[in-house]
Amino acid sequence: MYDTSADSDKEENMVKWLKEADMSACFINEYAQMLKDIKVPCSLNDQLNEMVTTGTFEMKVLNAFVPSPNLSQIAEELKPPSPLSLPPELRRALSKAKDIYPRSIGNTGKELHHLHRLSVAIIHFTNETGEYYLKVTHFQMAVLYAWDETKDKISFETLLSITGLTDADLRNTLWSLVGLPKRKQQVLSYSPTCQSQEDFTYSSNFWINENFALIRNGKVQNFGIVNLIGRVVLVTEEEKDELLKAIMEQRATIVQEAIKTILKTREWSMPFSQLQADVIGLLKYQFTPTSEFIKHQLKWLIKHKYVRRKYVRKPCFPLH
């Protein structure tokens, strides 16, 4: 999703290695489908960009990861409460993508869900000072787009209805555009002044700062790229906790499958020390489970009667 893949060939080889290690077919298919999904949008983006007359459009598609049902729930929570106020051409492109994508993969039963929290955009911003490209989130874009046809002041209450954001998301997004002390000039101006986003009231007013400029080493730059994304909390603490919980549940499933696979190949009998070493060796390309984590999953398998513990009596030697 974030173009962090170092080598797609190595990723595909890893899937082959997991198949050779007799990992769960359901689990392997999810990874294989993920690699396939990454390649699909290339031709789809070309079709969408033919519709967009200003700028370019790039979409990335990824299936929800089936082994953990909580991930789909988190995806639902990441959606905005109502449609964001985005540029008309972008809205049309997103709508068209939902129609084209199922047909492009030959599966009309699939449906795209656009996650605004994970989307970014570049806005071309010009004033008398210079020409700038603002890298923003879709939430920031929704806020800035409120001034597309006006330069008047807009109240916090009005921005709530225009953007479709929740109260908390709007406060966080506005503060990212007005409250960074390190930046000499902010993209938005506001009144009355306050110490944090929590101090905004429904009557607080905001407007575009016509004197905005990029300043480096004390000098005003008349051209440049300004990254505003790093100033926004994209995921709340609660969502982080939910995501971490989902990841741990997914890893628990992976370790359980690895234990069953290894025991099957050893005719369901081996000492724990050897089992632990084999599990770590099998999963080393994904993550390294701790001894306690493996023990916990083994106990779960024993409790649910997938595996049973076999006690071996140690020989007793007489003392002379």
Side-chain angles (χ1 to χ4, degrees):
M1 181 175 287
Y2 298 105
D3 289 331
T4 57
S5 174
D7 192 325
S8 59
D9 290 336
K10 289 183 179 179
E11 291 174 344
E12 291 175 358
N13 287 335
M14 184 192 75
V15 173
K16 293 179 182 178
W17 295 335
L18 292 174
K19 287 182 179 179
E20 293 172 357
D22 294 328
M23 287 293 288
S24 168
C26 178
F27 174 75
I28 295 299
N29 290 339
E30 290 300 325
Y31 273 109
Q33 184 62 47
M34 178 183 68
L35 296 178
K36 181 180 178 181
D37 287 340
I38 292 174
K39 298 178 181 179
V40 169
C42 296
S43 59
L44 184 59
N45 285 329
D46 293 337
Q47 299 179 54
L48 294 175
N49 281 316
E50 293 178 359
M51 302 171 46
V52 181
T53 57
T54 57
T56 58
F57 183 90
E58 182 179 359
M59 182 180 68
K60 298 183 186 298
V61 180
L62 197 61
N63 270 321
F65 206 8
V66 174
S68 178
N70 281 349
L71 288 180
S72 59
Q73 178 182 349
I74 293 171
E76 290 292 328
E77 293 174 354
L78 286 173
K79 296 177 188 177
S82 58
L84 291 179
S85 177
L86 298 175
E89 287 196 358
L90 180 55
R91 291 201 302 269
R92 286 195 296 270
L94 291 174
S95 177
K96 192 67 175 179
K98 291 182 178 181
D99 295 334
I100 296 176
Y101 176 70
R103 295 197 298 268
S104 67
I105 62 174
N107 186 342
T108 56
K110 285 198 171 185
E111 183 180 358
L112 284 181
H113 295 285
H114 182 213
L115 301 182
H116 290 281
R117 286 187 186 273
L118 303 180
S119 302
V120 300
I122 296 179
I123 297 177
H124 186 202
F125 182 93
T126 59
N127 57 13
E128 294 182 358
T129 306
E131 179 180 4
Y132 308 102
Y133 291 88
L134 310 180
K135 191 172 184 180
V136 298
T137 67
H138 273 200
F139 283 12
Q140 290 172 320
M141 175 189 277
V143 170
L144 294 175
Y145 191 71
W147 284 275
D148 183 52
E149 297 180 356
T150 183
K151 293 184 179 181
D152 298 336
K153 295 180 179 180
I154 302 178
S155 69
F156 182 90
E157 184 176 15
T158 303
L159 285 172
L160 275 174
S161 60
I162 291 177
T163 62
L165 293 171
T166 63
D167 184 284
D169 283 332
L170 181 57
R171 289 178 186 276
N172 182 45
T173 303
L174 283 170
W175 191 252
S176 72
L177 299 171
V178 305
L180 187 67
K182 293 182 179 179
R183 191 169 297 284
K184 302 296 183 180
Q185 293 287 344
Q186 308 292 339
V187 178
L188 295 182
S189 298
Y190 71 106
S191 68
T193 59
C194 55
Q195 298 300 315
S196 71
Q197 61 265 42
E198 301 301 327
D199 298 329
F200 291 148
T201 65
Y202 279 13
S203 59
S204 296
N205 287 312
F206 302 84
W207 63 93
I208 295 292
N209 179 14
E210 294 295 339
N211 297 319
F212 172 78
L214 177 62
I215 301 176
R216 290 175 178 167
N217 300 323
K219 296 182 179 180
V220 176
Q221 308 292 316
N222 56 16
F223 179 86
I225 299 175
V226 183
N227 186 355
L228 301 175
I229 296 176
R231 299 159 61 186
V232 184
V233 179
L234 296 179
V235 182
T236 64
E237 289 300 322
E238 182 178 351
E239 288 166 349
K240 285 182 181 178
D241 292 340
E242 287 292 331
L243 184 57
L244 179 60
K245 181 181 177 181
I247 291 173
M248 295 309 295
E249 289 181 359
Q250 176 188 320
R251 289 188 172 186
T253 302
I254 294 171
V255 171
Q256 291 167 14
E257 290 293 333
I259 291 173
K260 290 189 288 185
T261 299
I262 292 169
L263 287 176
K264 284 180 181 178
T265 60
R266 298 298 183 91
E267 298 182 354
W268 294 97
S269 179
M270 64 188 306
F272 174 75
S273 59
Q274 184 61 49
L275 175 62
Q276 176 180 296
D278 287 357
V279 169
I280 293 174
L282 183 60
L283 302 179
K284 63 182 179 181
Y285 294 106
Q286 301 175 62
F287 63 96
T288 303
T290 64
S291 177
E292 288 300 318
F293 192 73
I294 295 173
K295 286 181 181 178
H296 184 74
Q297 303 315 316
L298 186 57
K299 289 179 181 178
W300 187 93
L301 292 171
I302 293 172
K303 179 180 178 181
H304 291 80
K305 299 182 179 180
Y306 288 97
V307 177
R308 69 182 179 87
R309 183 184 285 109
K310 181 180 180 181
Y311 293 97
V312 179
R313 293 185 61 184
K314 295 182 179 180
C316 181
F317 297 98
L319 296 176
H320 296 286

